[in-house]
Amino acid sequence: MVIIKSDQEIATMRKCGKILRAILEKLITEVRPGIKTGQLDVIMAEESEKRGVIPSFKNYRGFPANLCVSVNDEIVHGIPSERILQEGDIVSLDAGVKLNGFHTDAAITIGVGQISKEAEDLIRVTEGSLKAGIAQAISGARIDDISSAIQSYVESRGFSVVREYTGHGVGRDLHEDPPIPNFVIGKGFLLRKGMTLAIEPMVNAGDWHTKLAANQWTVLTADGSLSAHFENTIAITDNKAEILS
Ligand code: MG
């Protein structure tokens, strides 16, 4: 069931999303060759506490960390660890926080030091596809309009969209209806004012197929190619969508 939020609830999510964005900005400044992904998780915990929010991912269905850190061929759900980031890696930071009963969710992929032309292109196209999807997120349109915009943006630039994982509604729960695929699957829900959605294209440089790591969490590209991930939480309004995170 799709939950429509009141203006007051959206105001809480707006505040929550601003804090999340500030935490992500802080994390971005910490990404450099030589840092362990586990150190980013510690920073996520510290920054959340300092700013009065709760990391949404910790213990979500048993997830063991505050933050998802996915490197290179890891698509999503990378678990922070002793892994040391190297010059040329790309790293996806996916975070959610909860404030006064409401979650927001966001992700970004960035390069570690100097990265390859392919990696740069992949990151730029993934971010562009998120913008293209959000541009379609207007009251009266359908989920499919978002999915179609993302898929065609990505595929026309020679990359592929992950099929097995999708965006989602977000608010009182981290994952609410409706699912938001990054590929065309059917018309989907009608978008209405007050819907709050996490739109999150996951884009592979190679084939779209995925595999699960031995830790049963981390999702990797099946062919070992690079993957990037961008995500915003948005609210559907009468006009263009408002970006909350
Ligand atoms: Mg999400």
Side-chain angles (χ1 to χ4, degrees):
M1 191 186 72
V2 175
I3 302 162
I4 300 297
K5 277 78 175 184
S6 67
D7 289 349
Q8 197 182 350
E9 289 170 329
I10 288 175
T12 301
M13 289 183 70
R14 187 179 294 125
K15 205 170 155 194
C16 181
K18 272 209 176 100
I19 295 171
L20 174 58
R21 183 53 54 183
I23 294 172
L24 270 178
E25 294 294 339
K26 166 72 178 164
L27 286 166
I28 289 166
T29 66
E30 299 290 340
V31 168
R32 58 180 175 272
I35 193 168
K36 289 177 183 169
T37 58
Q39 287 173 264
L40 297 172
D41 192 63
V42 171
I43 294 165
M44 175 72 195
E46 288 171 353
E47 291 294 318
S48 299
E49 191 176 359
K50 201 160 85 184
R51 296 163 195 269
V53 292
I54 299 164
S56 304
F57 298 173
K58 184 79 189 243
N59 299 324
Y60 183 80
R61 295 184 186 158
F63 188 74
N66 299 293
L67 174 72
C68 294
V69 184
S70 305
V71 183
N72 295 337
D73 62 335
E74 296 174 349
I75 301 168
V76 286
H77 307 161
I79 300 174
S81 68
E82 294 296 300
R83 180 174 184 163
I84 295 169
L85 294 178
Q86 312 285 340
E87 176 95 20
D89 284 343
I90 63 170
V91 58
S92 300
L93 305 173
D94 185 1
V97 296
K98 188 179 190 184
L99 176 73
N100 298 337
F102 286 88
H103 299 270
T104 54
D105 197 353
I108 185 168
T109 301
I110 57 172
V112 182
Q114 194 72 30
I115 60 172
S116 69
K117 169 81 166 59
E118 183 194 45
E120 263 175 29
D121 288 346
L122 177 68
I123 290 172
R124 197 182 57 247
V125 167
T126 308
E127 186 171 22
S129 75
L130 174 59
K131 290 197 174 117
I134 291 173
Q136 298 300 317
I138 294 167
S139 180
R142 292 199 175 260
I143 296 290
D144 177 53
D145 296 313
I146 301 173
S147 309
S148 166
I150 291 171
Q151 182 173 25
S152 60
Y153 189 97
V154 168
E155 291 182 352
S156 67
R157 288 162 179 81
F159 297 124
S160 64
V161 287
V162 169
R163 306 288 202 266
E164 290 102 329
Y165 302 86
T166 70
H168 50 91
V170 59
R172 287 203 180 275
D173 286 313
L174 182 59
H175 293 110
E176 296 179 349
D177 276 337
I180 307 170
N182 297 305
F183 62 100
V184 176
I185 190 171
K187 279 191 154 186
F189 286 81
L190 192 64
L191 298 173
R192 287 169 53 204
K193 182 174 188 265
M195 287 171 71
T196 47
L197 309 172
I199 302 180
E200 51 175 325
M202 292 150 256
V203 176
N204 296 350
D207 184 75
W208 60 266
H209 287 93
T210 69
K211 63 183 180 190
L212 198 58
N215 66 23
Q216 297 299 308
W217 272 109
T218 309
V219 181
L220 300 120
T221 58
D223 61 7
S225 66
L226 294 175
S227 188
H229 179 205
F230 279 80
E231 176 178 28
N232 283 134
T233 298
I234 65 157
I236 303 297
T237 74
D238 286 327
N239 296 300
K240 68 182 184 124
E242 179 186 352
I243 295 173
L244 299 173
S245 73

